[in-house]
Amino acid sequence: MARRLHASRTEGVDKNVWVEFTKLAADYKAVNLGQGFPDFSPPKFVQEAFCSAVSGGPLMHQYTRAFGHPPLVKNMAKFFSRVVGHEIDPFEDILVTVGAYQALFSAFQALIDEGDEVIIVEPFFDCYQPMVKMAGGKAVYVPLRPVYKTEELQMIADLCIKHDMLCISDEVYEWLTYDGAKHVKIASLPGMWERTITIGSGGKTFSATGWKVGWAISSGHIIKHMKIIHQNTVYHCATAAQEAVAQGFEREYEVFGTPESYFKQLPAMLQHKRNKLASCLQSVGLQPIMPEGGYFMIADISSSTGEELYDFRFVKWLTKEKGLATIPVSAFYSPEHGKEFDKYIRFCFV
Amino acid sequence: MNTARHVLNCSKFARHSANINCTRKFYTSQHLKMSRHTHSKRIEGLDKNVWVAFTSLAADPSVVNLGQGFPDIPPPSYVKEALAKAACVDRMNQYTRGFGHPSLVKALSQVYGKVCGRQIDPLKEVLVTVGGYGSLFSTMQGLVEEGDEVIIIEPFFDCYVPMVRMAGAKPVLIPLRLKPGKRQTITSADWFLDPDELSSKFNSKTKAIIINTPNNPIGKVFTRDELQVIADLCIKHDTLCFSDEVYEWLIYRGHHHIKIATLPGMWDRTITIGSAGKTFSVTGWKLGWSVGPEHLIKHLQTVMQNTLYTCPTPLQEAVAQGLLLNFELMGQSECYFSSLAEELEGKRDRMAAILQEVGMTPVIPEGGYFMLVDVTSLNQDLSHMDDDEAYDYKFVKWMIKEKKLAAIPVTAFVGDESKKQFEKYIRLCFIKQDSTLDAAEEILKNWSKI
């Protein structure tokens, strides 16, 4: 074919750190502390829910409601209304997506136009940048500290209200906070419900990343635009996986705040793993930065010169020569700032 | 700022519970509602959707639903068992390879390698997506943009037009036309594309043509000669071809499914789309795939890695198992790819007979699981209904309400200029169990009775 084939929206977004490094880890059969997924199973109650969905009636294997399986959205509305302190309408205020990844994509596509600016806090989950680009937006980078304290969130909220901006809040690791740190939902701050899109993940909530069930929760007048994107992209999400996550939320609603809650047990288990990995890294002379939340830890490695950023080269060497896979942290920074952060690598301790 | 301290029902939760924000209740101030933010331009005019409109109407359990295309017959048991088994393996509940689970892409390259008679690279020439729908989307986003024109044949699966528009391009429509002349039975083979009319739609801006064979909703299976006409135009105008073949296995006796990608000069310019949902009667699994040359598939992969990254793992593993099992049986009667078609042919013929008895005129499909029905002869007076809507929309709404039988109006699948040509047709789905067809038969037989 003589003509140019690809659409220009795919230009400059073809490199992807996961595609590159997951392949490397697989090729060298490395111990994979790179990509963020647990190597243990989801909790029994949710695995059983999935199995029972699979052997459920024929409708479990056919299309369900496009914007979210009714039992799932109803259970989520009940669960999160209590957490956020705002009555959430299951059919108007929630959109179920194929992972939080697709919720992010739908939010950008529905709301960002050519020329819109989007503020991205560094370091950031790498997909934000290409997604903003694909939507025609312009990314503006600002470094801020993770596990936001309420005062920090209030500062962001004040700016959003002052400048009449939207807030896309990616809270996929919302249950994973350590050392008593509290997760605060920016959507629960005054004036923020109607301008915030809160994104969550069944995969991270229930340690089942391979189910790819995610969601966006916001005021109906925003969700309705995302529904239009959804009905023109994938239209439906898999039924059985949604049924299983629905049952997961039902169970968690009942035991919320008690020791049986998976949302207490998982962070307790992971805090222990976090500490273990930290001492291991310290013992070999690496400097870990203790996370207050999430699945990841970054460690300081010493710097030197070269064309490809140091952390990229270090990670490749570590994978090939030592059989240990990690992720270079400059992948989570804009091209302009990556050089300043090329002496960190990221470990997953889940 | 309107805030009030209010303790919600959280007295039973321990104070050290980190994650609930239940000690204050916030009142939403109406005057703080978003003032300047509206939706992005790309979704302008894309909000209407026939499924959203009709699925809720048909959801009433007393309605016999022959509308939306999904089976109410169970999928083959080995496919459900494979899923249950996959879910028990820890690794299967976590992320897999983004562009497609290794065992699935290998199985796809085997099956389609055999069907197409060529080696297909599982890693470079296959992409797994969220249903055939997801493949259509990845194809449009990867290869179509502002300034492009895309030819779409009417009637078309309704998402083609909004997807082309969302990609910024212009849809150019061309209708299938019914061959003139009286005949006792009308089949989907009586609908054809006028080669001169088709040729006139191609120009230097034409980026692609979308074909759907077997066609939804008519059920037409394009012949080799018809595909050759399209192929010749694609080559002459250096155009891509997006071939939606989700119903590829549902071909009835006397007809053959031809893949346009196998015609000379076409592999390098064609994306072929398939669906696990339609192949294994598991529409709720939402897995599909795109197969094509590396230089095209790589752009779809770029879209995938920036939209949802990967599809669910255990479902992909189960589909892989199902494909491998049937690959061994290909050509034999036990192969699901042929046994399902055989089962459906019986249902097709039964449905057609009932409709003819009642005085309606079905269009007998050569493939797929839908049947178009011409309701002109019923002379149903719908003048009391909303004048803005096309006749078939009004007819289906009336039928759901008065007769408790759901179908889909066919003008949902055509552009404005062709509405008059198709507004006396409704679409019925016949991949339904016998009890559903029995119930439909009851309603149809009693049609004239009050």
Side-chain angles (χ1 to χ4, degrees), chain A residues 4-5 8-9 14 41 61-63 101 109-110 112 135 164 188 204 209-212 231 234-235 256, chain B residues 13 20 26 35 37 40 42 51 90 93-95 133 144-145 167 207 278 283-286 305 308:
Chain A
R4 189 196 60 174
L5 300 167
S8 46
R9 70 177 67 79
D14 49 319
S41 63
H61 298 283
Q62 307 306 333
Y63 294 129
Y101 216 97
Q109 289 283 311
I112 304 300
D164 194 17
S188 63
K204 303 293 195 282
T209 61
W211 292 7
K212 291 291 289 185
Q231 83 197 24
V234 299
Y235 195 38
F256 194 55
Chain B
F13 303 125
I20 45 171
F26 299 101
S35 50
H37 289 289
S40 61
R42 67 181 60 80
W51 312 109
D90 280 359
N93 290 306
Q94 308 304 336
Y95 294 131
Y133 219 97
V144 173
E145 61 185 337
K207 189 65 173 291
K278 305 295 194 272
T283 61
W285 289 23
K286 287 294 295 188
Q305 82 197 19
L308 49 104

Side-chain angles (χ1 to χ4, degrees), chain A residues 143-267:
Chain A
L144 273 179
R145 195 158 54 100
V147 182
Y148 300 98
K149 306 281 187 292
T150 315
E151 315 81 64
E152 288 167 316
L153 288 180
Q154 190 61 64
M155 176 182 74
I156 295 171
D158 291 342
L159 287 165
C160 284
I161 293 167
K162 178 177 174 187
H163 297 279
D164 194 17
M165 285 162 52
L166 295 169
C167 177
I168 298 175
S169 185
D170 179 351
E171 301 182 15
V172 296
Y173 300 107
E174 59 187 306
W175 305 113
L176 301 180
T177 55
Y178 310 122
D179 307 322
K182 287 183 187 334
H183 172 71
V184 179
K185 286 182 162 304
I186 195 170
S188 63
L189 299 185
M192 289 304 285
W193 166 258
E194 55 266 23
R195 60 180 71 249
T196 305
I197 299 133
T198 304
I199 294 189
S201 160
K204 303 293 195 282
T205 294
F206 293 111
S207 309
T209 61
W211 292 7
K212 291 291 289 185
V213 175
W215 50 81
I217 301 179
S218 181
S219 165
H221 77 283
I222 292 181
I223 291 290
K224 77 178 185 204
H225 300 312
M226 292 176 62
K227 283 176 174 173
I228 296 175
I229 294 291
H230 190 74
Q231 83 197 24
N232 289 300
T233 53
V234 299
Y235 195 38
H236 300 87
C237 302
T239 312
Q242 291 188 70
E243 176 65 27
V245 176
Q247 301 206 21
F249 272 111
E250 182 164 343
R251 188 255 189 198
E252 284 300 314
Y253 182 83
E254 298 308 323
V255 302
F256 194 55
T258 72
E260 280 88 64
S261 166
Y262 189 65
F263 303 161
K264 275 185 159 304
Q265 293 171 345
L266 183 62

Side-chain angles (χ1 to χ4, degrees), chain B residues 393-440:
Chain B
Y393 268 72
K394 291 193 284 202
F395 185 92
V396 169
K397 285 181 179 171
W398 169 85
M399 189 171 75
I400 292 175
K401 187 158 174 250
E402 301 300 327
K403 300 292 180 187
K404 300 285 185 198
L405 179 64
I408 294 290
V410 174
T411 58
F413 302 104
V414 307
D416 289 337
E417 285 174 28
S418 298
K419 280 196 186 331
K420 274 270 161 265
Q421 196 189 333
F422 289 94
E423 69 170 350
K424 289 299 173 71
Y425 291 94
I426 63 173
R427 185 193 83 167
L428 296 177
C429 172
F430 54 87
I431 185 167
K432 304 289 177 188
Q433 52 188 329
D434 288 340
S435 56
T436 310
L437 296 178
D438 290 341

Side-chain angles (χ1 to χ4, degrees), chain A residues 22 32 35 37-41 209-210, chain B residues 86 88-97 101 313-314:
Chain A
T22 310
N32 195 354
Q35 198 181 0
F37 61 85
D39 67 356
F40 48 80
S41 63
T209 61
Chain B
C88 295
V89 177
D90 280 359
R91 189 65 189 83
M92 293 289 155
N93 290 306
Q94 308 304 336
Y95 294 131
T96 183
R97 177 179 169 266
H101 187 52
T313 315

Side-chain angles (χ1 to χ4, degrees), chain A residues 33 37-41 178 207 262 265-281 288 290-291 294-297 347-350:
Chain A
L33 299 190
F37 61 85
D39 67 356
F40 48 80
S41 63
Y178 310 122
S207 309
Y262 189 65
Q265 293 171 345
L266 183 62
M269 171 171 70
L270 295 188
Q271 180 162 330
H272 174 74
K273 290 179 191 282
R274 175 197 72 162
N275 297 345
K276 190 171 172 188
L277 181 65
S279 359
C280 168
L281 293 173
M290 286 301 256
Y295 284 175
F296 305 105
M297 179 178 293
F347 292 82
C348 175
F349 53 86
V350 177

Side-chain angles (χ1 to χ4, degrees), chain B residues 171-279:
Chain B
V172 171
L173 306 178
I174 174 172
L176 285 170
R177 297 187 184 279
L178 184 56
K179 283 185 193 142
K182 270 209 103 50
R183 50 189 80 77
Q184 192 165 26
T185 323
I186 301 182
T187 78
S188 54
D190 296 319
W191 292 80
F192 73 106
L193 267 186
D194 181 314
D196 293 328
E197 191 181 3
L198 180 61
S199 181
S200 74
K201 302 289 179 180
F202 279 78
N203 62 45
S204 59
K205 294 205 189 99
T206 309
K207 189 65 173 291
I209 177 170
I210 304 176
I211 66 170
N212 177 213
T213 180
N215 168 280
N216 172 9
I218 288 189
K220 179 181 175 63
V221 173
F222 284 75
T223 62
R224 185 175 291 277
D225 289 342
E226 286 170 321
L227 292 176
Q228 193 61 63
V229 167
I230 296 170
D232 290 343
L233 285 163
C234 285
I235 292 167
K236 177 178 174 185
H237 295 274
D238 196 19
T239 300
L240 296 173
C241 180
F242 304 155
S243 188
D244 178 352
E245 300 182 18
V246 296
Y247 300 104
E248 59 187 308
W249 308 111
L250 302 181
I251 308 288
Y252 304 121
R253 263 174 308 174
H255 309 289
H256 299 279
H257 176 69
I258 311 281
K259 288 182 162 304
I260 196 170
T262 58
L263 268 51
M266 290 306 286
W267 171 260
D268 287 326
R269 57 180 73 250
T270 306
I271 299 281
T272 305
I273 292 172
S275 157
K278 305 295 194 272
T279 297

